[in-house]
Structures are given as structure tokens and as C-alpha cells.
Amino acid sequence: MKKMNDELKPKALIVGVNLRNDKNFSYSIEELKNLVYACNMDVVGVITQNLENINKPYYIGTGKIEDINIGINQCQADIVVFDNELSPVQLRNLEKKLNISILDRTGLILEIFRSRAKTKEAKLQVELAKLEYSLPRLVGLHDSLGRQAGSSTLSNKGSGEKKIELDRRKIENKIYELKKRLDELEKIRNNQKKRRKNSNIPIVALVGYTNAGKSTLMNAYIDTYKKDEDKKVYEENMLFATLDTTVRNIEISENKNILLSDTVGFVSKLPHSLIKAFRSTLNEIKDADLILHVIDYSDEKYEEYEKVTTNTLKEIGVDESIPIIKVYNKSDLMLDRLPLVEDKNTIYISALKRYGIYELSKLIENILFKNYIKCKMQIPFQDGDILSYLNDNAHIINTKYNEQGTLIELECKPQDYSKYKKYVV
Ligand SMILES: Nc1nc2c(ncn2[C@@H]2O[C@H](COP(=O)(O)OP(=O)(O)OP(=O)(O)O)[C@@H](O)[C@H]2O)c(=O)[nH]1
Ligand SMILES: [Mg+2]
């Protein structure tokens, strides 16, 4: 039996154009369905068309418009969702022909982000992205207003155009104001970043397709290494549960700390206005010394998701020289499909069940602390301050006391090794 709630959900008819036999087309439609569900709507039908080129005024071919009209009636749809981004003119033309609300992929993703934003910065970023997106689309919203031919000055325009012009100015002012407030927040963020850089603790960024388990992995680290319940992050089975960045200092082995950061997830064709508005949140990834690319191995489309993430990293300008570990997550659901031999810098784990966390830490350690030098130092009693510095900053493997002082076996940074070379035995 259908739940009452389901009946109240808006019914969406999906429309997709397969341009020049795109091999990613069916994947894109599947993804759009998930985005529609994430926006709390039901999918009641899918209409597709194969085209060589788009039909500029409507995006879809003119003949297909009638099919969509029939589809709307048959499925009793409340809204039509297009799989691509529509130009303002296309949106207006289609609304006129179909007489129904229309959302394109970008509008849909923006709507999901709006409903998820919790922190002040995320809210401001989403609002900015929405305004940037709606500005060129204003004409469509006011098309029903009367127009007169007129010169370009406001006073000579017809009432419809005047209204659009006033709205446009209002939105432009609001965009200016939002950017200013976001710049202020970015300054605070940059100061925090500077402090982090100065601390010399390597930054490890969790990245990946939305819902891959990044936040769950962050929590697994907090659980395993910090035992600090209230510092956990929000994890949830929904697209875009996380919209901001959280950083935690984790000691993955004695005196080897990392700054682990969890941030917003990706989806294919992430709208440009969002990438622009979320610039400062996404910039956190650019500063990383190591990227953990988290992949939901239990999803049959995981290879597609992998590509989406790799492409998005390129798009936001992440340096290709940053090392990446591929973390195949949710392996607890795939125990019969685990490879016998893992590739280099690849690991199969379960963030939820906490399987493979220690092994992942070892991989991280091998990359970030590989230049640590293993040695023995004999520290005389009178140099207790050096012993306490090394206790705090090096990985001490063994400590023995003898007549000359303390003999330690340790792994330390090359800088510390050269500084304290005289103690090496
Ligand atoms: N079975 C299983 N489920 C997992 C595992 N890791 C995460 N999940 C589930 O996957 C869902 C999404 O997890 P999140 O950690 O919120 O995913 P995310 O990558 O942070 O997602 P966004 O913040 O939305 O981008 C949750 O319901 C988790 O319980 C795992 O190892 N095994
Ligand atoms: Mg998350």
C-alpha cells in the first residue's frame, strides 16, 4: 500500500535527449532519477529522444513536444524535469508550450542543495548560486507581463520590462551583498588554513561521489583514534548530506598526525554556478597533501562514479601531482567480490563496520611519512628538553634507560634528524 506521504509528493516526468549516441546517456538518466527522489518528488515517467543536434528554441525536437504533452496527461505529472541545463529562452518556450512547471538538471540540484544547507556559509553559498542561475532567467518569469517597444532607458520601457529591470537590479545588489559576506567568511577560513599550513601537519582530504561514505569514514577515524563522540560529523543515506567542510586532527600512529577533512560530495555535471559559489569550500581539497578518493564499491555503477569524481577534481583545478588513494568502501556488502590482490594505493574497506581502517592508516603513513628516518639516539640526562620534544614530535618505537641517559629508537622528520644528529648512535 502506498503511504500517504508518497501520494502528496509532486509527480515528475523526466525528459532526456541522447545527443549523438552518448554512451553515458542511460547512466545520466538513472542519476537524474536519484536526484529527483532526493528532491522529495516521485518519478512517474521517462521520455527520451535521440538527436544529432539540439533544437535551439526548445532543446528537444519540435515533434517530441506533443509526446511530452501526452505523457504529462497520462502520468498526471506536476512537473517536467530535463536532464540537461536549459537556456533561459528554451525554458520560457517550453513553459509556454507545455503549460507546466519545468526544472532543468541545474535547477534541481540547486533545489536539493537549498533544502540541505545548514551552516551559515552553506546557506549563503546556495543562495548565491541560485541567484546567479536565476538572473538570466528573469525574462521567462515575467513573460506574461505586457511589453512595449522602447529605448534602453528605464523610464521609456513598458511596465513588463520595467519590472524585469527592477528585479534584475535587486538581484544584482543581493548578489553583491552575498559575495561580500562570503568574502568575509572566506577570510576567516583562510586564516584557519594558514594556521593549519604552519602547523606542518599534512592535510588529507576525503573526496568522492555523494553518498559514497566520506562522512562515515571520517567518523570511523574519530571513533578509532579519538574516542570523542561529540566531534563526529553528520552521515546519512541521502544525496548531499554534507555541504560544508569539517577538519579533524587525527593521530594515526604515535606522533604522526593528519588533518582529515570531509567536504561536499560530487555528482556528474555539477552546475557551474554551484562550483563558483562553493569555491572556498572546494578549495580545501586543493590544499591537500593527500586525497582519499572514496568509492561506493557496492553500487553497480561505481566505475561511473569514479570517473565523475576524477573529472570534477580536474574541473575545480586540483593539482594532479597530489597523491590519491582509492578507497573502495561498503565492501561489507561485497565480501564475495573482493580482489585477491590489491593495486598500489588502492584499498577495500567498510567505513560503517570499521574494517580496514588500520590498513588504510598504514597506506596513508607510507605516503605522508615515508621520508621519516628510523634511527637510535642516546640523549644525555641534562638534555631532558630534547627528549620531551622528541616524545611529542617523533614516533618513539622503544625507550631504554642507561648510565648515560636515555636510549631511544625512533622515526623522525628529516629536519629533526639533521638537527639532533649528534645524538644518533
Ligand atoms: N553497508 C555500508 N554502508 C555504508 C558504509 N559507509 C557508509 N555507508 C552508508 O552510506 C550512507 C552515506 O554515508 P555518508 O557517510 O553520509 O556519505 P557521504 O559520502 O558523506 O555523502 P554526502 O555527504 O551526501 O556526499 C549512509 O547511510 C551510511 O551508513 C559501509 O562501509 N557499508
Ligand atoms: Mg558526507
Side-chain angles (χ1 to χ4, degrees):
M1 204 176 81
K2 257 190 158 188
K3 274 188 278 171
M4 186 65 186
N5 251 352
D6 284 344
E7 275 162 23
L8 295 175
K9 280 185 188 172
K11 299 191 199 97
L13 176 68
I14 285 180
V15 177
V17 171
N18 187 355
L19 271 183
R20 293 178 283 281
N21 219 351
D22 180 1
K23 59 179 182 350
N24 296 322
F25 181 67
S26 63
Y27 158 71
S28 186
I29 294 289
E30 281 307 306
E31 184 184 66
L32 188 72
K33 279 188 196 168
N34 289 332
L35 289 168
V36 169
Y37 298 136
C39 207
N40 214 15
M41 297 191 281
D42 260 340
V43 176
V44 286
V46 179
I47 294 180
T48 60
Q49 182 176 36
N50 297 322
L51 283 181
E52 271 309 298
N53 294 300
I54 61 154
N55 175 26
K56 255 198 161 160
Y58 296 101
Y59 198 87
I60 45 168
T62 322
K64 207 69 185 170
I65 295 176
E66 196 35 47
D67 289 356
I68 299 176
N69 249 331
I70 296 170
I72 291 171
N73 287 331
Q74 271 177 355
C75 309
Q76 303 209 327
D78 304 301
I79 188 164
V80 176
V81 182
F82 279 77
D83 185 36
N84 49 280
E85 185 161 321
L86 297 170
S87 74
V89 176
Q90 287 159 355
L91 195 70
R92 183 180 49 183
N93 288 346
L94 284 164
E95 259 170 355
K96 243 193 232 164
K97 282 268 180 201
L98 297 172
N99 222 353
I100 194 169
S101 302
I102 293 176
L103 259 185
D104 63 3
R105 181 181 253 270
T106 303
L108 183 71
I109 296 175
L110 286 173
E111 188 47 38
I112 301 170
F113 268 62
R114 190 198 57 74
S115 67
R116 304 279 199 259
K118 279 194 248 67
T119 62
K120 184 166 144 200
E121 188 173 23
K123 281 183 182 160
L124 290 175
Q125 285 172 322
V126 175
E127 199 182 345
L128 175 62
K130 280 202 88 157
L131 289 178
E132 300 252 17
Y133 170 75
S134 66
L135 194 56
R137 286 164 174 80
L138 267 187
V139 187
L141 299 177
H142 295 289
D143 199 51
S144 53
L145 297 167
R147 286 198 202 190
Q148 296 163 11
S151 75
S152 58
T153 61
L154 191 56
S155 58
N156 285 334
K157 286 187 173 175
S159 63
E161 274 183 87
K162 257 190 220 163
K163 174 94 176 74
I164 293 167
E165 190 96 17
L166 283 173
D167 283 356
R168 186 189 301 280
R169 283 187 198 167
K170 241 193 252 165
I171 293 185
E172 277 168 354
N173 287 340
K174 186 87 199 165
I175 287 179
Y176 176 76
E177 212 180 279
L178 282 172
K179 279 188 176 159
K180 233 170 57 186
R181 287 172 66 190
L182 280 167
D183 280 349
E184 277 157 26
L185 289 177
E186 195 174 357
K187 263 185 219 144
I188 300 174
R189 187 193 283 279
N190 281 341
N191 281 338
Q192 289 168 343
K193 256 200 263 179
K194 237 184 253 158
R195 243 177 288 142
R196 270 185 243 143
K197 277 263 161 208
N198 289 341
S199 72
N200 268 330
I201 304 177
I203 298 167
V204 180
L206 291 161
V207 304
Y209 197 84
T210 176
N211 215 41
K214 301 175 291 300
S215 301
T216 310
L217 184 52
M218 172 72 130
N219 288 338
Y221 264 91
I222 294 171
D223 248 2
T224 312
Y225 295 96
K226 287 190 90 107
K227 315 264 178 262
D228 202 348
E229 282 293 321
D230 59 4
K231 283 201 169 169
K232 283 198 186 166
V233 294
Y234 177 60
E235 57 177 77
E236 183 67 64
N237 189 16
M238 57 153 75
L239 303 187
F240 303 114
T242 309
L243 286 193
D244 33 40
T245 303
T246 310
V247 182
R248 295 279 180 268
N249 187 333
I250 312 265
E251 189 175 9
I252 53 169
S253 93
E254 195 207 338
N255 290 333
K256 288 182 178 167
N257 288 56
I258 58 165
L259 293 171
L260 190 61
S261 86
D262 174 32
T263 191
V264 58
F266 301 156
V267 75
S268 61
K269 305 179 204 161
L270 203 60
H272 227 78
S273 50
L274 268 179
I275 293 187
K276 251 173 70 188
F278 276 73
R279 187 195 58 202
S280 79
T281 303
L282 291 169
N283 271 350
E284 299 274 343
I285 301 171
K286 290 191 190 169
D287 285 331
D289 298 287
L290 170 68
I291 287 173
L292 302 185
H293 177 173
V294 184
I295 300 146
D296 177 354
Y297 186 51
S298 74
D299 194 307
E300 53 182 13
K301 293 189 290 293
Y302 77 93
E303 282 166 315
E304 298 291 343
Y305 296 161
E306 243 184 273
K307 277 186 225 147
V308 167
T309 300
T310 307
N311 291 338
T312 314
L313 287 176
K314 264 192 209 139
E315 211 172 310
I316 57 180
V318 173
D319 194 335
E320 285 185 32
S321 65
I322 301 177
I324 297 182
I325 297 178
K326 285 197 179 178
V327 181
Y328 290 96
N329 188 32
K330 310 199 187 179
S331 295
D332 51 300
L333 305 172
M334 307 295 286
L335 291 176
D336 52 337
R337 296 262 303 275
L338 297 180
L340 292 174
V341 186
E342 285 171 358
D343 289 339
K344 191 173 164 264
N345 288 350
T346 294
I347 190 162
Y348 291 77
I349 67 152
S350 167
L352 189 69
K353 305 266 189 211
R354 314 306 196 223
Y355 299 157
I357 307 297
Y358 176 74
E359 290 75 6
L360 176 57
S361 295
K362 277 282 154 218
L363 270 185
I364 297 174
E365 224 184 300
N366 287 343
I367 292 175
L368 291 177
F369 302 98
K370 66 170 179 291
N371 58 358
Y372 267 46
I373 297 169
K374 194 169 175 183
C375 59
K376 280 185 184 169
M377 288 187 190
Q378 174 71 52
I379 317 275
F381 288 121
Q382 66 269 26
D383 291 342
D385 52 335
I386 300 198
L387 184 64
S388 84
Y389 170 85
L390 290 170
N391 268 324
D392 288 344
N393 291 282
H395 176 54
I396 309 288
I397 301 162
N398 197 353
T399 306
K400 275 187 192 146
Y401 301 96
N402 52 28
E403 277 154 26
Q404 295 87 43
T406 316
L407 178 67
I408 48 175
E409 192 183 347
L410 72 161
E411 278 178 317
C412 64
K413 289 178 209 148
Q415 301 95 298
D416 286 341
Y417 181 81
S418 12
K419 204 164 156 192
Y420 302 117
K421 213 166 175 180
K422 64 173 182 181
Y423 300 114
V424 174
V425 289

